[in-house]
Structures are given as structure tokens and as C-alpha cells.
Amino acid sequence: MDQLISINAAQRANTSCSALSAVSDIALDLANIVFNSTQEAIVVTDNRGTVIGVNPAFTAITGYSALEIVGKNMRSLQSGRHQKSFYQDIWSHVTRSGYWQGEIWNRRKHGDVYPALLTISSVRNRVGEPTYYVGTSVDLSRIKKSELELDHFAHHDELTQLPNRRSLLLRLNQALERANKESVTGAVIFVDLDRFKLVNDSLGHGAGDELLTLAAQRIKEALRANDFMARFGGDEFIVLLEQATRNAAEKVAASLIKRLSKPFVLSSGHEVCIGASVGMSFFPGDSNNPETLLQQADTALYQAKTAGKSTHRSYSPDLTAGASVRLTLEIQLRRALDRNELALHYQPLVSLADKQIFGFEALLRWDDPARGLVPPADFLPVAEETGLMVPIGGWVLQSACAQMRRIIDQGGSVTSMAVNISARQIRHPEFAASVVTALHKASLAPQYLELEITEGALVSNDDATIATLSFLRSIGVRIAIDDFGTGYSSLSYLKKLPFDTLKIDRSFVTDIGSDAVSKAIVTAVISLAQCLGREVLAEGIESEQQRELLLASGCTLGQGYLFSPPVSENALLGLSGLKRRDRLTPTICARD
Ligand code: C2E
Ligand code: MG
Ligand code: MG
């Protein structure tokens, strides 16, 4: 800085030759310093491109010392990656404008090529002829490498290193353009591993990751070099056959299923059998839109899953007709189960006298990313119709028991977890076993669990159901009859049925203060329960008046918005630490 100030001062003074020569000495020194210390490679050539000087950075980047390169032509650095015309264009630009800047591939002394940002300036004599050329360049290899890495990261799946969804969509777009231009057909093959979740849940995520990598390899091995494969997400892979008939694609699908059905041996020594299902759509026939094609292949995939897994299906347009609305919901529901989109909310069960919480009812919610929280009435009927209620119900049981365990472990004082059971679920031959498993997994005593069964699910009076409930009750599980009073059934089943609690349906509670009939039904149900020696709990209590009337009629337990709506798991833990409140022992009417 001092030197620069003194140069400016000297320029201003500009009085004598000696002062000028001092200035040019300093300027030369400075140029020398810059030349020798800059990180940019500098090369000076004569007007034929013969090197006459290089700086240390040039040596560091190219590997050529000044001795080795001076006297040689700049062509020594050419990488062989550019056409002759590329260099001709550069030089014609430099000749015209005295300057060129751009990216170029050069070759280092030891042979490797590297990208550089090169600037060439010409130095002209007084009559404007170029006498020297000065080239300055920056080695871009590190920047390029990180750019490439970033690009790879953005387009590949980290675990399997396969192209990701984004790359798939790009590639599918190109494939569609080509298929339309060249009038060829191609296939989108959607592969979903069948029992991956089981491995992931039982052996841990490390094993799951290893399995995904091995499965990806197997799929890859079944493909030709120019077939494209991507990881779509989770245990889903997409194979894109850019030129394939229906027949050829079906053969590929069958071979993938066969390969994936063979056992995988993990590094832990575990041998796992998973299998895969496949759905296919064809372009441009089924659609010209990449997203739609993927959706169609997905729909076909879920048809394959419904058909019993380890099989393949092709998309057919009738799937989009009216009947498919249910199927779509079913597909989404299956997906929801796989993707953990189902959640339980918990509504407190309280003692009406002091509003103390003694238990919770687990209520199912579907946290659909597109629709938000879906209430059970919107999806349980489809689940029930399609048999999905059995796995969903199993999940509910296990989750609710696990939740009860957490409450106990955290010192919570509630003593009851009520779980709703559907008609289909209760008739499933494995139902009792699934209850025992859920209790066992959560290390939960059966007394904590109450199963709520609607009157409607019990009317058929079948012995198998009664036997199942009797067994469960014999081990200590409590049984409640839900929505009591709405089943239009004969009360005779109450004689045979093992149960502990009657839940008075909300429809009667709502009108208890205003409608004499509702009040009479409620009173009758309460005395019926008392006479049978059972508990009675009123649902849907929303006002103090209802609470007081119920209490006055002898109902001691209830639930409803007056106390709390169903709350999420997180909110529940805050509620469950309340003081212990044992259930009241019901009064038993003396027999005549
Ligand atoms: P439910 O077993 O009778 O459950 C009580 C329903 O009443 C719940 O509706 C609850 O949110 C609602 N509720 C509670 N207190 C009040 C109140 O004060 N006012 C009003 N207006 N509503 C109240 P949700 O959660 O929509 O459940 C509806 C039904 O779906 C349940 O009726 C039950 O039959 C069924 N369900 C819920 N979860 C499951 C499940 O995991 N399995 C089966 N099989 N069925 C379930
Ligand atoms: Mg219920
Ligand atoms: Mg109910």
C-alpha cells in the first residue's frame, strides 16, 4: 500500500526522469510479485504460440516447469477433447477482439486432462500487430468435481446409487418423445418388494438397507445394458424398457419376480425371503404423460398385490372406470398401512363424578398427505369390505397396547385402553391369537385392555364369536358393547354374551335433556347394566347438563367433548399422568 501511494505521489510529481524510472522499477517489481504469487496459471507466448514464460502456478497446475515448456508451442497442452474448429474459433476471436475467455480441457504433463477457465489477451505493438499473447487460467477440476457430485446427489438415491425419481421422470419424458417420434412402444415396470417391511421392522434398518441394495443389484442383473432402472422410494423400484413389446415386458417382469423370490443372505447371517410384485403400464398406448404412466403402473401393481403377491399385472383402462373408485381407496389404504400413515387418537374415558380420567379409547385416523386427517367413517367400510380391516385392526391393537405400556412406564395412572373391533376382525380365526400377541409384545396385563364391539357386529349370534369373546374374557380382557341401543337387535344375545361394559350410544345422550324417550332409554339401559352386574358408560357427553342427568340416573362413567375430544399421541401423555381412579364397582341388583 505504501508503495502504491508513493507511485501515485511520484506520478503526480512527474518532474524528472529519475523519478519516472523509479516508478517503472516499482511497477515491474509489483508485476513480478503478482506474476509469481498468483494462484492463476500465467503463460506468455510469442505471436506464434511459442511459450516464452510461465509462472509458478502454471507449473503447479500443468506439471511443466518453465525449462520444460519454454520454447514449446502451446499446443503441447491440448487435451484431444476438442475439435480443430474449437481452437480455430478461439484464435479468430482473439485476432478480432484481442481477447477470449471460456472453458477448455487441457492436458497436464502426466497425461490427465482437466477443465480450465482460460483467458487469452493479445499484447499489440504500436502499429496494432499482436506480438505476445498472455494466457491466464484457473484449474476448474475441483469445482467441476463438486458440481458433478452435487448433480449426482440430486439425481441419485444415496443408498443404492441408482437414479432417483427425478432422473426417472426426465428419462421417461425423453423415452416418450422418442417413442412418439419413432413409433415404438415401451414399458414402465413398477417393482415392489413384498415382505420388506417385515425384515426392516424385525431385523432393523441396517438389515433393511442391505436388503434393498441386494435387491437392487438383482434387478439390475436381470436387465440389458440400456434398460433404465431407478429407485422410486422405500422398497419400490422402476424399470424402464424404452423399446419393448407387451410380451417382452411380461417376460422381464416374470424374471424379476423369480429372481427376487430367491432367498437373500444378509451379512448378519440371516437368510430372508421377500419376493416381489410387479405392475406395468405401456407407452404411448396407456398414456403420454410420465406421471400418469407411473400411476397406472402403480394401480396395476396393487392389483398384483391383491391377487396374492409375487405376480405381475398390466394396467387396463377399465380400472379407471367407476368401480375403481373403491379400488383406488383400497390401494391408498394399503399404501397408508405400508407407509405408516395410519395413526391413533385417544379419547379420555372419565369418571363422571369428578371428571378424573381412568382410561382411553383408541380411535383410528388416516393421516393422508393429500387429504389431511381422514375420519374412520370414510375408510373403515372399504377396509371392512376388502378384508384390509384385519391387518389394520391388528395394527390398531398392537399400537394401542404399546401406547398403554408407554403410559404405564411413564408413571401414568390410567387403567384401561379401549380398542374398537370390527365384525370381520372378530370372526377371523386368528383374532384371539392376535390379541394375545399384542398384549405379549407390549408386556401388558390383559386387564388393561377393553375390546369394544358394536351391537351390530354381534347380532348374528354365532357360537364361534361367543367362544372367542369368552376365551378372551377368561384371560382377563374386558369386553364392551359399543353404541348400545342402535343395533335393533333382540336383547336375548345379552344372556349368552360375555361382556363387562355397555356403552350408551351418543344419539341417546345428545337428547337426554330435551327428549323424554331418550331419557327413558338411557335410564333403562343404566338399570339393565346394573341388573346384569355390568358397567355402563355414556358416549358423546357434550354439556354439564348431560353429565349431571347421567350421574343422577346412576351412570358413573362417560366420554365426550365436555371432557376432551380424541387427542393425538403426544397430547395424550400430558393427560395420562392424572391421579389413579379405580373403576367403580357396579351395583348388582338382587334377584327376586
Ligand atoms: P365409537 O367407537 O362409538 O367412537 C366414538 C366416536 O364418537 C368417535 O368418533 C369420537 O370422536 C366421537 N365422539 C366422542 N365424543 C364425542 C362428543 O362429545 N360429540 C361428538 N359429536 N362426537 C364424539 P370417530 O373417532 O369418528 O369414530 C367413529 C367410529 O369409528 C367409532 O365409533 C368406531 O365405531 C369406529 N372406529 C374408530 N376407530 C376404530 C378402530 O380402530 N377399529 C374399528 N373397528 N372401528 C373404529
Ligand atoms: Mg368405540
Ligand atoms: Mg360408540
Side-chain angles (χ1 to χ4, degrees), residues 40-62:
E40 290 184 19
I42 303 177
V43 54
V44 183
T45 72
D46 66 13
N47 58 3
R48 295 171 157 196
T50 307
V51 178
I52 54 178
V54 294
N55 72 344
F58 178 92
T59 303
I61 292 171
T62 64

Side-chain angles (χ1 to χ4, degrees), residues 217-236:
Q217 262 167 25
R218 274 203 201 165
I219 299 175
K220 189 120 221 177
E221 281 160 17
L223 305 178
R224 293 169 308 188
N226 52 349
D227 295 334
F228 182 83
M229 172 186 177
R231 179 165 176 213
F232 198 58
D235 58 350
E236 298 165 341

Side-chain angles (χ1 to χ4, degrees), residues 376-390:
D378 291 2
F379 64 91
L380 284 185
V382 170
E384 187 74 351
E385 250 179 75
T386 55
L388 262 179
M389 196 61 233
V390 173

Side-chain angles (χ1 to χ4, degrees), residues 421-476:
I421 304 296
S422 82
R424 179 134 183 183
Q425 228 181 322
I426 202 169
R427 292 201 175 88
H428 193 275
E430 303 291 323
F431 175 64
S434 73
V435 174
V436 174
T437 308
L439 289 168
H440 180 72
K441 274 195 168 176
S443 309
L444 197 66
Q447 288 72 15
Y448 283 104
L449 181 65
E450 182 155 70
L451 302 179
E452 294 192 3
I453 297 132
T454 57
E455 220 185 334
L458 295 167
V459 286
S460 60
N461 208 3
D462 67 282
D463 293 341
T465 303
I466 291 171
T468 305
L469 293 180
S470 303
F471 163 75
L472 288 169
R473 198 156 174 257
S474 75
I475 62 167

